[in-house]
Amino acid sequence: MKTCYGNLFSAISTLFVASIIVMLMISGCFRSFTSFSGSTLQYSGSIEVIQLNRNITISDRVQTIHSVRSSLSFQLNRTVTRKFAKVIRREDEHEQGLARARASIRRAASGLNLSSIADSHHKSDIDSTAIYHNARAFYRSYLEMEKRFKVYVYSEGELPIVHDGPCKDIYTIEGRFIHEIEHGARRFKTNSPHNAHVYFMPFSVTWMVKYLYKPLTYNLTPLRQFVSDYVRVVSSKYPFWNRTQGADHFMLACHDWGPHASQGNPDLYSKSIRVLCNANTSEGFNPQKDVSLPEIHLYGGEVSPKLLSPPPAAADSPRLHLAFFAGGIHGPIRPLLLQHWKDSDPELLVHEYLPKDLDYYSLMLQSKFCLCPSGHEVASPRIVEAIYAECVPVILSQNYVLPFSDVLRWEAFSIRVDVSEIPRLKEVLTAVSEEKYRRLKEGLRAVRKHFVLNQPSKPFDVFHMILHSVWLRRINLRRQ
């Protein structure tokens, strides 16, 4: 009898363990079985190509639950099944909501769903359509983001490297975004990870460099190791990283070494959404899944008063100088620019370092075009400064994905000049007709709101544009 009871107890124990293991496998919580081997995670390319295809369907998983329920009869199994069925229903509701958003955006892009936009509280922002690839699609997408998008911010990590970042000087955007998503942005932030569409890892690469990097060693291993450890912690504590291999997670970094730090985890580098100022396609930046972050240099944490309110259109024309640049010689492009144009033409004010009797922002406001050559890396804060000054940016770069270019038509408010054309720079700029220049200036006035860094954030400002770029990549995420 004792042996019989022992066998019965053993059998029940085996069934209990089997039930728990199967349930965890279904939910994505049993990490050893959630590598999604044989599947790939892909993104479609733009706001106008929005689709989702999932191999592991909701019905497949529900059918698996029913088969487990029929084979395991004790009460605990039914309780566990109900729990994980609820999780799956919540995921299903998320995906159905995203599907409705995609359909709405497609209708708007085709001009079939204009009334909801025209009647919205953003009606005044629809007037300037020339700066967008498809204004209807963008505004519909923005409204869907406001309506649905939820971000979970991981609480793991300690100050100063996590939950903080620089809020002034050249890497301002890094700390400002972390602060806003952590302490503002109530519309988008959720305290329940099960309700989130994306998951934010709030570490600062700039502060990693400050606190972990040993100067002049060029040893970036401590940065990669920190990122590796952070991913290991959140992927061990939560099921969310493992169920998509990090494809619905994002990091943000403005420091030049942000891409190098992301190499600390291969899935973060190749699958996650990386929001980077250093958006260089020759160094692994993938515009289908990564986001180009505008570099904003705020001396002392504030925009220069001279750039806050540029002169009205009627008062600032004609501008005295054809073009302006001042900056140090570093990187491959600036030496070419200075070689051909430094102090050589009174109409093109090109300086290595600005003379003390001249003011940088005053010269921007007095120039028709502002030259924005890349330095060591592709991004330049001069682009945003030029937008603020309504001085048409002249982009001199290679392999640079411009910020928000999946939504914005940069040709509507800037000029891109190939590096090989630098010797002909004056000829290229003087060939711009007055009519085209007028349209470029109108485009600058219209696009300015998308690059303003407000505190707290305001609709359509740079914080919301960054978030919209992340939203766009999330709704374009495909599992195959």
Side-chain angles (χ1 to χ4, degrees), residues 240-391:
F240 310 108
W241 177 277
N242 297 298
R243 69 184 181 184
T244 65
Q245 297 171 301
D248 54 2
H249 286 58
F250 74 102
M251 60 165 283
L252 180 142
C254 195
H255 196 280
D256 293 348
W257 289 345
H260 299 285
S262 70
Q263 292 174 345
N265 181 277
D267 285 336
L268 172 60
Y269 183 84
S270 62
K271 296 182 175 68
S272 297
I273 302 168
R274 300 179 304 155
V275 185
L276 304 171
C277 284
N278 190 4
N280 189 338
T281 57
S282 70
E283 296 180 0
F285 183 90
N286 179 358
Q288 289 188 315
K289 74 169 190 69
D290 297 327
V291 173
S292 179
L293 183 65
E295 193 169 291
I296 302 177
H297 193 172
L298 298 186
Y299 297 91
E302 302 293 338
V303 177
S304 169
K306 295 180 180 180
L307 301 182
L308 286 176
S309 300
D316 69 341
S317 182
R319 295 201 171 193
L320 300 176
H321 312 295
L322 178 63
F324 167 66
F325 169 78
I329 301 180
H330 54 81
I333 296 176
R334 293 186 188 184
L336 293 174
L337 176 64
L338 291 168
Q339 173 189 337
H340 286 91
W341 297 105
K342 178 183 177 181
D343 302 325
S344 64
D345 192 301
E347 292 188 86
L348 269 69
L349 304 183
V350 177
H351 305 277
E352 181 176 353
Y353 292 105
L354 198 63
K356 292 183 178 181
D357 60 331
L358 298 178
D359 179 74
Y360 186 87
Y361 293 129
S362 295
L363 289 173
M364 274 191 154
L365 291 164
Q366 295 168 8
S367 302
K368 294 178 66 176
F369 300 97
C370 285
L371 309 181
C372 305
S374 296
H376 287 305
E377 301 296 348
V378 291
S380 169
R382 287 171 178 80
I383 295 175
V384 174
E385 291 171 340
I387 292 172
Y388 289 170
E390 294 182 5
C391 176

Side-chain angles (χ1 to χ4, degrees), residues 14-88:
T14 301
L15 285 172
F16 176 79
V17 172
S19 173
I20 296 300
I21 290 175
V22 172
M23 289 300 98
L24 291 174
M25 289 171 60
I26 295 167
S27 70
C29 294
F30 199 76
R31 294 172 183 82
S32 299
F33 294 88
T34 53
S35 62
F36 285 98
S37 59
S39 68
T40 58
L41 297 161
Q42 298 181 359
Y43 294 79
S44 60
S46 73
I47 195 170
E48 299 178 53
V49 184
I50 301 171
Q51 56 186 343
L52 181 69
N53 181 16
R54 302 180 66 186
N55 268 357
I56 304 175
T57 64
I58 299 300
S59 60
D60 291 338
R61 289 188 286 174
V62 172
Q63 183 178 357
T64 304
I65 288 177
H66 289 319
S67 65
V68 172
R69 291 180 65 180
S70 62
S71 63
L72 300 173
S73 60
F74 51 90
Q75 180 64 35
L76 178 60
N77 177 52
R78 290 196 293 270
T79 303
V80 173
T81 300
R82 284 194 296 269
K83 175 182 177 182
F84 288 108
K86 184 177 180 180
V87 172
I88 290 174

Side-chain angles (χ1 to χ4, degrees), residues 61-345:
R61 289 188 286 174
V62 172
Q63 183 178 357
T64 304
I65 288 177
H66 289 319
S67 65
V68 172
R69 291 180 65 180
S70 62
S71 63
L72 300 173
S73 60
F74 51 90
Q75 180 64 35
L76 178 60
N77 177 52
R78 290 196 293 270
T79 303
V80 173
T81 300
R82 284 194 296 269
K83 175 182 177 182
F84 288 108
K86 184 177 180 180
V87 172
I88 290 174
R89 283 196 300 272
R90 185 160 48 221
E91 292 180 5
D92 191 21
E93 290 172 359
H94 272 15
E95 297 305 326
Q96 288 176 359
L98 294 177
R100 287 191 289 270
R102 289 191 294 273
S104 178
I105 295 167
R106 287 196 193 98
R107 290 194 298 271
S110 302
L112 302 177
N113 189 23
L114 304 180
S115 59
S116 60
I117 299 177
D119 295 337
S120 76
H121 59 285
H122 297 311
K123 184 177 180 180
S124 61
D125 294 293
I126 306 175
D127 299 334
S128 302
T129 60
I131 62 173
Y132 306 106
H133 293 298
N134 188 316
R136 293 185 295 264
F138 167 62
Y139 281 103
R140 184 70 253 170
S141 178
Y142 187 93
L143 294 178
E144 292 289 345
M145 177 189 75
E146 283 193 334
K147 177 181 177 181
R148 304 179 189 277
F149 200 33
K150 296 299 179 185
V151 180
Y152 180 75
V153 182
Y154 283 116
S155 61
E156 283 65 31
E158 298 180 357
L159 296 170
I161 296 177
V162 187
H163 310 296
D164 191 21
C167 290
K168 59 181 180 180
D169 296 330
I170 195 169
Y171 303 126
T172 295
I173 193 70
E174 195 171 297
R176 291 290 182 90
F177 183 89
I178 292 173
H179 184 273
E180 185 66 23
I181 198 68
E182 292 247 30
H183 306 292
R186 291 187 179 90
R187 177 192 294 270
F188 303 105
K189 185 180 177 182
T190 177
N191 292 323
S192 171
H194 294 286
N195 292 330
H197 296 96
V198 293
Y199 303 84
F200 179 51
M201 297 172 287
F203 50 70
S204 167
V205 174
T206 303
W207 280 176
M208 287 184 207
V209 175
K210 180 177 180 179
Y211 295 105
L212 302 179
Y213 171 70
K214 187 176 181 179
L216 303 179
T217 63
Y218 299 100
N219 178 14
L220 305 185
T221 300
L223 281 63
R224 298 189 187 101
Q225 187 61 53
F226 184 94
V227 171
S228 176
D229 291 343
Y230 194 88
V231 172
R232 177 178 53 78
V233 168
V234 298
S235 63
S236 298
K237 185 174 179 179
Y238 304 92
F240 310 108
W241 177 277
N242 297 298
R243 69 184 181 184
T244 65
Q245 297 171 301
D248 54 2
H249 286 58
F250 74 102
M251 60 165 283
L252 180 142
C254 195
H255 196 280
D256 293 348
W257 289 345
H260 299 285
S262 70
Q263 292 174 345
N265 181 277
D267 285 336
L268 172 60
Y269 183 84
S270 62
K271 296 182 175 68
S272 297
I273 302 168
R274 300 179 304 155
V275 185
L276 304 171
C277 284
N278 190 4
N280 189 338
T281 57
S282 70
E283 296 180 0
F285 183 90
N286 179 358
Q288 289 188 315
K289 74 169 190 69
D290 297 327
V291 173
S292 179
L293 183 65
E295 193 169 291
I296 302 177
H297 193 172
L298 298 186
Y299 297 91
E302 302 293 338
V303 177
S304 169
K306 295 180 180 180
L307 301 182
L308 286 176
S309 300
D316 69 341
S317 182
R319 295 201 171 193
L320 300 176
H321 312 295
L322 178 63
F324 167 66
F325 169 78
I329 301 180
H330 54 81
I333 296 176
R334 293 186 188 184
L336 293 174
L337 176 64
L338 291 168
Q339 173 189 337
H340 286 91
W341 297 105
K342 178 183 177 181
D343 302 325
S344 64
D345 192 301

